Amino acid sequence: MNHSRITLWIAAVMIAACSILSSCIEDGFTTSSSDILAFSKDTVAFDTVITLQGTATKQMVIYNRSKKQINISSIKVAGLADKGRFHLNVDGVRGDSFQNVEIRGNDSIFVFIEAYLDEMEKDEPTYIEDRLEFVTNGISQNVVLTAWGQDVVRIERDTISSDTRLTATKPYLIYDTLFVSPGVTLTMDAGATLLFHDKAVLRCAGRMLANGTVEEPITFRGDRLDHVVGSTSFDVMSGQWGGVIFTPPTMGNVLKHVIMKGSSIGMHCTAYGASGYGDTVNCALKLVNCVLTNSASTCLATQTCYVQAIGTEISDAAEEVAYFYGGKVMMSQCTFANNYLFKVPSLPIINVFNAEFIDGTTHKIKAYFDNSIIYGLSSEINKGDLSNFDVYLRYCLLKSDGSDDAHFINCVWKGDPMFLTVRDEHYFDYRLDNESDAIGKGNPALCPAEGRYDRYGYDRLAKGAVDLGAYVWNFISVDDD
């Protein structure tokens, strides 16, 4: 074999390959003023940003539409915002300004932006605007940067040892634990907002009075106020903070128009009577027109106490949405629903048990679910013979196919509430659509006076027949917020 011929042949192939590659890749830089940048967005908007606290990272893409390489001579934040600063990461490099950033022809790079806002010294959110400036081939281009800065009252490992009122003036940001001492009352005004940092909890051994209204509900939520990605809000994310825990000797807690979402453990209540076990006379916890939703475990759990819920939505949990262990349970005009987003729940929507203690004492549960809806991805209630339980479902809508007996009274079996919820689109709204089987199926005599109006202000008795669940069906209202 002639090795010289083979060598010449290989060399010729390599020369041809290099010629082809050089014709496909243009290594020269364009200097034309008509070759400018394109951007994935013209505005990078941050949602409400808590001052003195970092934000989630936003991103945008810079495109070079030219066949040739392009040199961006300058990328920087203009620095127009008096109380705000925006920080950059350009193509993997952190900084506040960049020079001579190159992008190959028909290629792109990422820019990541974070915001940090100083205190605004205002109660209401304050608008901040700056711009990201690019200079390429002598041409200036801008991308707008915006944010709303919100000052907060910070609470860290605090104990409330005297009667205290939380107002709606500014949100409260709670780190670690806020503890209400025995014998002390914590009052919350309408419109108050409590933001909880990661794993933070509100623990109450005293009494809590939350006085929300239709127009100004009270909010318990995590301190992430922006979006997870795109238009998907952190509202759909559970496990962002701890939860609310009522512990002995707590008693007389009343929460009206409270919206609690995104917790890890939900709301827990344990209370004992004079005997040391369940008190079925004095109400430990009353919920009126509240929403407890989106928990990484259970939305509401009670033990050996008297708990009431009226016109309340309890929805979306990784486990059951409600767990009752002994005590007295009175649920009227409530919606228990589970379409939890991150897994299909395996536990029933409601679990009820007689309380059994290590000393051999048993405290039987006494529970009534009236004019309510129990519906979702799993079974309605824990399976078993209810003959040993004082548990009664009266005028309730159930997904299961069954029949009435001593414990199920005038129920709507194999019903469909036709919720407005669209789980696949991350939309969770438990009001009733126009064809709902829950419309007009309730018993007005089982609707307590405190439950006459739902949390949107609609009158349950206006049509004569009462709708099941937490919400009055109203054809005009279904698109309202």
Side-chain angles (χ1 to χ4, degrees):
M1 180 178 290
N2 192 325
H3 293 285
S4 62
R5 288 185 179 181
I6 294 174
T7 302
L8 289 172
W9 179 81
I10 293 174
V13 171
M14 292 179 66
I15 292 170
C18 290
S19 176
I20 293 171
L21 288 172
S22 64
S23 66
C24 296
I25 298 176
E26 177 58 70
D27 287 328
F29 284 87
T30 177
T31 58
S32 171
S33 60
S34 63
D35 287 334
I36 58 175
L37 306 173
F39 306 109
S40 60
K41 55 186 69 175
D42 57 15
T43 300
V44 176
F46 289 82
D47 303 288
T48 302
V49 175
I50 297 174
T51 58
L52 304 181
Q53 185 165 299
T55 67
T57 301
K58 302 287 185 179
Q59 73 174 39
M60 58 173 290
V61 184
I62 308 173
Y63 299 98
N64 174 17
R65 305 297 193 194
S66 171
K67 293 182 179 179
K68 294 186 175 183
Q69 292 191 82
I70 200 165
N71 181 71
I72 309 171
S73 56
S74 174
I75 303 174
K76 66 177 182 179
V77 178
L80 304 176
D82 180 46
K83 296 268 187 185
R85 296 185 295 280
F86 296 88
H87 303 291
L88 308 178
N89 182 311
V90 176
D91 203 25
V93 179
R94 292 179 62 86
D96 293 330
S97 64
F98 300 82
Q99 290 76 42
N100 299 319
V101 177
E102 299 175 2
I103 308 179
R104 298 186 71 89
N106 292 314
D107 205 348
S108 62
I109 62 172
F110 283 94
V111 175
F112 300 93
I113 306 108
E114 297 176 350
Y116 183 90
L117 306 186
D118 298 326
E119 285 191 322
M120 301 295 158
E121 300 176 356
K122 295 181 180 179
D123 296 334
E124 67 278 359
T126 303
Y127 181 70
I128 294 292
E129 183 174 311
D130 210 323
R131 65 172 179 259
L132 191 54
E133 297 180 336
F134 302 84
V135 179
T136 310
N137 295 333
I139 302 299
S140 295
Q141 295 173 270
N142 298 312
V143 171
V144 177
L145 305 174
T146 67
W148 287 90
Q150 175 65 66
D151 288 344
V152 297
V153 178
R154 285 175 165 79
I155 301 174
E156 186 168 359
R157 291 189 179 182
D158 198 6
T159 295
I160 297 176
S161 54
S162 61
D163 291 354
T164 299
R165 179 179 296 274
L166 302 183
T167 71
T169 304
K170 292 179 185 177
Y172 296 85
L173 177 54
I174 298 169
Y175 296 90
D176 198 85
T177 300
L178 176 61
F179 179 67
V180 183
S181 299
V184 172
T185 298
L186 173 63
T187 302
M188 301 178 192
D189 290 348
T193 298
L194 276 65
L195 306 176
F196 293 83
H197 197 58
D198 183 34
K199 299 181 178 60
V201 298
L202 173 55
R203 187 179 295 272
C204 180
R207 183 174 64 150
M208 186 187 303
L209 301 177
N211 301 314
T213 65
V214 172
E215 296 80 12
E216 295 182 289
I218 292 169
T219 302
F220 299 164
R221 60 162 300 158
D223 62 352
R224 299 299 299 271
L225 306 179
D226 47 356
H227 288 74
V228 183
V229 61
S231 61
T232 303
S233 169
F234 265 96
D235 286 345
V236 304
M237 300 294 291
S238 63
Q240 297 180 55
W241 56 288
V244 177
I245 304 170
F246 297 95
T247 62
T250 191
M251 196 60 67
N253 301 286
V254 180
L255 280 63
K256 297 180 179 180
H257 290 274
V258 170
I259 301 172
M260 174 178 167
K261 54 190 173 184
S263 68
S264 293
I265 63 170
M267 183 175 290
H268 287 219
C269 184
T270 303
Y272 301 133
S275 65
Y277 294 106
D279 185 340
T280 58
V281 176
N282 300 299
C283 186
L285 175 63
K286 178 187 282 190
L287 306 171
V288 181
N289 288 340
C290 293
V291 176
L292 310 182
T293 188
N294 202 16
S295 168
S297 55
T298 300
C299 292
L300 176 64
T302 67
Q303 177 175 311
T304 62
C305 63
Y306 179 10
V307 58
Q308 289 181 275
I310 301 168
T312 290
E313 174 194 321
I314 304 174
S315 62
D316 300 329
E319 299 175 1
E320 63 271 274
V321 300
Y323 176 93
F324 303 109
Y325 187 68
K328 182 178 180 181
V329 177
M330 301 294 293
M331 304 281 124
S332 303
Q333 300 291 163
C334 290
T335 293
F336 299 87
N338 204 358
N339 289 285
Y340 186 68
L341 183 60
F342 302 103
K343 74 171 189 177
V344 177
S346 58
L347 294 178
I349 296 172
I350 297 173
N351 260 326
V352 291
F353 297 99
N354 293 326
E356 298 179 355
F357 300 96
I358 57 175
D359 63 359
T361 304
T362 298
H363 190 277
K364 290 191 66 175
I365 190 169
K366 190 175 185 67
Y368 289 91
F369 300 88
D370 296 336
N371 288 353
S372 294
I373 296 172
I374 310 172
Y375 194 92
L377 298 174
S378 56
S379 59
E380 293 88 351
I381 194 167
N382 46 305
K383 295 181 180 179
D385 185 1
L386 289 179
S387 60
N388 191 40
F389 293 84
D390 287 334
V391 177
Y392 305 94
L393 286 77
R394 303 184 295 185
Y395 294 85
C396 290
L397 183 147
L398 307 169
K399 185 178 182 179
S400 297
D401 187 6
S403 58
D404 289 345
D405 58 22
H407 295 272
F408 295 87
I409 302 162
N410 291 317
C411 288
V412 178
W413 294 94
K414 208 174 181 181
D416 189 342
M418 299 291 288
F419 294 135
L420 301 182
T421 291
V422 184
R423 183 174 184 262
D424 292 343
E425 298 179 9
H426 305 171
Y427 181 72
F428 299 91
D429 187 332
Y430 289 104
R431 288 176 288 177
L432 308 176
D433 206 346
N434 298 328
E435 302 302 319
S436 172
D437 292 333
I439 297 172
K441 300 296 176 60
N443 183 348
L446 296 177
C447 177
E450 286 182 285
R452 175 164 181 172
Y453 297 92
D454 73 5
R455 76 179 185 94
Y456 290 98
Y458 291 106
D459 187 350
R460 298 188 194 278
L461 303 181
K463 298 176 292 187
V466 172
D467 302 329
L468 302 180
Y471 303 111
V472 175
W473 170 76
N474 187 299
F475 183 81
I476 299 175
S477 73
V478 293
D479 292 326
D480 294 346
D481 290 331

